[in-house]
Amino acid sequence: MASPNVSALFFDYFSLQSCLIFGVSFLVIYQVFTREKPVKLPPGPTCLPLIGNVHRLGGRQMHIVTANMSEKFGGIMHINLAGMKAVLLTDLQIIREAFLDKTDRFSDRFRIRLGEYIWGTKGSLIYENGNGWKSHRRATLRALRNFGMGKRSLENKINEEARCLARSFEDENGHPFNPQPTVQNAVANVICSISLGSRYDYDDPEFRSLLDYIKVFMSERSGPSLLSVFPKLWFTPFYKSLRKQSVKCISFLRGVVEQHKATFDSNDIRDIIDVHLQGNDEEGGSDEKLPQSLIWRGLFDLFAAGTDTTSNTMLWGILLLTQYPRVQEKVQQEIDDVIGRERPPTLPDRLHLPYVDATLMEIQRFRPVACFVPPRAASVDTELLGYSIQKGTNVWINLYAVLHSPEHWKDPEEFIPERFLTADGKKTETPEAFIPFGLGRRICIGEQLARMELFLLMTNLLQRFTFEIPKEDPKPNLAGKHGITLSPGRFRICAVNR
């Protein structure tokens, strides 16, 4: 047998060892020079595989859970939503830095895939970005002002709707009833008069179907829900009924736009639809003009957001006044002293009704219907409080945390309208932390309209009625139901004539 070549074996071994060392060294050096630089993320909870932090966000009480999490991680947190990076802001000064001082970097809207599946984002007042969105927002805001937002011209329409609402309450003859449908009808009709050019009877089936869809979608969905994390579930049989309602809603609004096109007169601009029709062609559009085929999309945002938020604020107001009868009595006494019970309230009356105004502000602080504003997105790689925020990162604001922070509010879990009054009680004052409509470029476009509606509708009702919970009903749960908006659970009231 031939003896092994020791020299060959040695060099074979040496060559193999050298190749391995060279290969490993090359990979290490390659990784060092080619990998992304480490990003300094804000602190946050530990993630689980696949689902990230979704399990920790509390479902229906997500606004409270994340507010409590900030006590451990601070006013800026990094969270993972099933693989999607998100930054959550709960501290007022950090929010102001992002959306006021660095507004150019944080004014984009984060596009939610579910919304793209259902309605699309083109033409949206809420989810579109860029010059098209800016022009669309300016045009809509101008139209809202032209049709009376913040002016006496709209006051009469709201007061007339308040009379219809009061008649509906009177028809109950002091017996227990659920106020939600009629309050929603009244608020929606104010939006309709501006955007669609008409109001609808409370029992109109198409109108009622549209409102039911808005109520279900805005109140029953919570984020991050299973549907928002896995939006393709929208096309499964589980959501068949909601899909049908969505199609009916879109068809209704498109139908109204078509009716307007058939009767359009450039010398008689009736509402927001006509404003968008003026000078537009069927599909053209531009950065300055919204194409006719997308007018319905902006109307949906205006109608859905405006109806759901203001009607829920009204319902919270009614419910809270039943639980705080001392506040209700003081509000009614001030109304009696300043206005009486005969004439309807006017917008200038607000200056002379500081306790009424303070109570409305406390309702919005105590139970803000928009606990989270629709998420923003970083438009460029940037920094916030020394932390790296990468382009496209989902940025949330927890308004509930700001409005319930002990740093800004004494006894934040107590319902105290006096916190908004000057020391002599003769005027209201607005603390920096009172931001129920958000702030920055994306502040709620309908803030003035909502404030008008809330003041005139609530004052009209409290002139006529005292609200009570039926004696046979259990004490209402004031925690609320958090979907896209925070709504009170179902409750009944007795509207007792004064």
Side-chain angles (χ1 to χ4, degrees):
M1 178 183 294
S3 60
N5 189 326
V6 175
S7 175
L9 287 174
F10 173 79
F11 282 108
D12 284 347
Y13 172 76
F14 182 78
S15 298
L16 178 61
Q17 188 180 47
S18 297
C19 287
L20 287 172
I21 292 172
F22 175 80
V24 171
S25 300
F26 175 81
L27 289 173
V28 169
I29 293 170
Y30 178 82
Q31 287 291 323
V32 168
F33 283 96
T34 61
R35 70 183 178 184
E36 292 183 0
K37 293 180 180 180
V39 174
K40 186 182 179 183
L41 294 173
T46 303
C47 301
L48 290 181
L50 298 179
I51 65 172
N53 301 124
V54 171
H55 66 296
R56 297 195 60 175
L57 298 183
R60 294 291 185 185
Q61 299 300 314
M62 179 179 167
H63 54 298
I64 297 175
V65 170
T66 52
N68 292 338
M69 285 169 62
S70 67
E71 295 178 7
K72 177 179 180 180
F73 298 107
I76 177 170
M77 286 182 283
H78 172 258
I79 55 177
N80 184 302
L81 304 176
M84 180 177 66
K85 293 180 181 179
V87 170
L88 177 62
L89 308 181
T90 59
D91 178 83
L92 176 63
Q93 297 311 318
I94 299 174
I95 292 169
R96 290 179 63 84
E97 180 181 341
F99 300 130
L100 293 180
D101 300 341
K102 298 181 177 180
T103 186
D104 289 340
R105 308 175 203 179
F106 292 101
S107 285
D108 277 3
R109 181 68 76 202
F110 184 81
R111 291 187 173 179
I112 298 173
R113 287 175 295 167
L114 179 62
E116 293 182 350
Y117 288 154
I118 303 174
W119 314 292
T121 56
K122 289 185 178 179
S124 170
L125 279 167
I126 297 177
Y127 290 107
E128 196 171 22
N129 290 316
N131 291 331
W133 166 75
K134 292 176 184 177
S135 299
H136 186 192
R137 181 183 168 92
R138 281 196 301 268
T140 302
L141 188 58
R142 188 165 54 247
L144 285 169
R145 288 170 177 161
N146 289 343
F147 290 108
M149 186 174 74
K151 300 178 182 178
R152 295 289 296 274
S153 55
L154 185 57
E155 179 185 290
N156 291 335
K157 290 182 179 179
I158 298 175
N159 276 332
E160 179 56 38
E161 200 59 52
R163 283 190 284 273
C164 295
L165 179 60
R167 282 197 297 271
S168 178
F169 278 24
E170 283 176 344
D171 289 343
E172 302 294 340
N173 295 313
H175 299 306
F177 71 100
N178 174 14
Q180 183 269 322
T182 46
V183 168
Q184 190 184 35
N185 284 338
V187 172
N189 264 330
V190 175
I191 301 286
C192 285
S193 68
I194 299 172
S195 57
L196 310 184
S198 61
R199 70 176 300 279
Y200 294 84
D201 291 336
Y202 289 179
D203 57 357
D204 183 288
E206 270 195 311
F207 184 54
R208 191 64 255 167
S209 177
L210 174 62
L211 296 182
D212 287 344
Y213 168 75
I214 290 170
K215 181 65 181 174
V216 169
F217 200 89
M218 298 290 280
S219 298
E220 298 302 325
R221 280 190 58 240
S222 61
S225 64
L226 192 63
L227 182 59
S228 61
V229 174
F230 302 106
K232 289 189 177 180
L233 290 174
W234 176 254
F235 302 105
T236 66
F238 296 107
Y239 296 96
K240 183 178 180 180
S241 176
L242 201 54
R243 284 202 310 273
K244 284 185 176 180
Q245 282 184 288
S246 179
V247 170
K248 285 174 67 176
C249 170
I250 294 170
S251 297
F252 174 83
L253 292 174
R254 280 178 166 161
V256 175
V257 174
E258 290 301 313
Q259 291 169 12
H260 274 62
K261 286 166 64 177
T263 57
F264 177 73
D265 180 355
S266 60
N267 296 314
D268 180 23
I269 302 302
R270 299 161 291 185
D271 48 43
I272 290 176
I273 295 178
D274 280 355
V275 169
H276 288 305
L277 287 174
Q278 197 173 30
N280 279 9
D281 56 31
E282 183 64 33
E283 293 293 338
S286 67
D287 279 351
E288 297 299 323
K289 294 290 185 179
L290 190 67
Q292 292 183 9
S293 59
L294 290 177
I295 291 174
W296 73 269
R297 184 63 185 86
L299 288 177
F300 176 80
D301 285 353
L302 192 64
F303 190 82
T307 296
D308 190 72
T309 52
T310 304
S311 60
N312 275 327
T313 304
M314 288 275 297
L315 291 168
W316 275 119
I318 291 170
L319 179 59
L320 288 169
L321 290 177
T322 68
Q323 302 304 295
Y324 296 88
R326 178 193 65 83
V327 174
Q328 183 169 199
E329 288 171 10
K330 289 187 69 173
V331 166
Q332 289 172 325
Q333 186 62 56
E334 188 175 67
I335 292 171
D336 289 350
D337 292 344
V338 175
I339 302 174
R341 301 189 193 181
E342 301 302 321
R343 74 168 176 87
T346 64
L347 292 176
D349 288 330
R350 189 167 194 155
L351 292 174
H352 307 289
L353 296 167
Y355 194 80
V356 173
D357 200 19
T359 300
L360 297 177
M361 294 167 78
E362 178 67 347
I363 291 166
Q364 294 173 84
R365 184 206 69 82
F366 189 73
R367 287 296 177 265
V369 293
C371 293
F372 296 92
V373 297
R376 310 279 184 91
S379 57
V380 295
D381 289 348
T382 186
E383 285 192 355
L384 189 59
L385 212 71
Y387 296 111
S388 299
I389 312 295
Q390 293 180 307
K391 179 180 179 179
T393 298
N394 184 352
V395 182
W396 288 9
I397 307 174
N398 186 338
L399 286 184
Y400 183 93
V402 175
L403 295 169
H404 281 254
S405 169
E407 181 181 346
H408 303 292
W409 311 96
K410 183 180 178 182
D411 300 320
E413 301 307 320
E414 298 295 326
F415 185 76
I416 308 172
E418 288 81 1
R419 70 174 81 246
F420 289 101
L421 293 174
T422 55
D424 59 10
K426 294 181 179 180
K427 293 181 180 179
T428 57
E429 52 187 4
T430 305
E432 183 183 54
F434 185 68
I435 53 170
F437 296 97
L439 75 174
R441 288 183 183 173
R442 294 273 184 174
I443 192 170
C444 174
I445 194 172
E447 177 181 357
Q448 281 187 291
L449 177 60
R451 286 168 57 84
M452 286 180 68
E453 288 181 273
L454 189 58
F455 172 72
L456 292 171
L457 291 174
M458 286 295 288
T459 305
N460 267 285
L461 290 177
L462 289 164
Q463 273 185 311
R464 295 166 171 78
F465 307 104
T466 296
F467 300 123
E468 300 173 354
I469 294 296
K471 292 179 181 178
E472 64 271 24
D473 286 7
K475 185 175 181 178
N477 182 349
L478 297 184
K481 209 167 42 167
H482 186 244
I484 294 177
T485 53
L486 181 66
S487 61
R490 182 183 174 89
F491 67 96
R492 299 194 305 168
I493 60 164
C494 295
V496 180
N497 279 302
R498 298 182 62 206

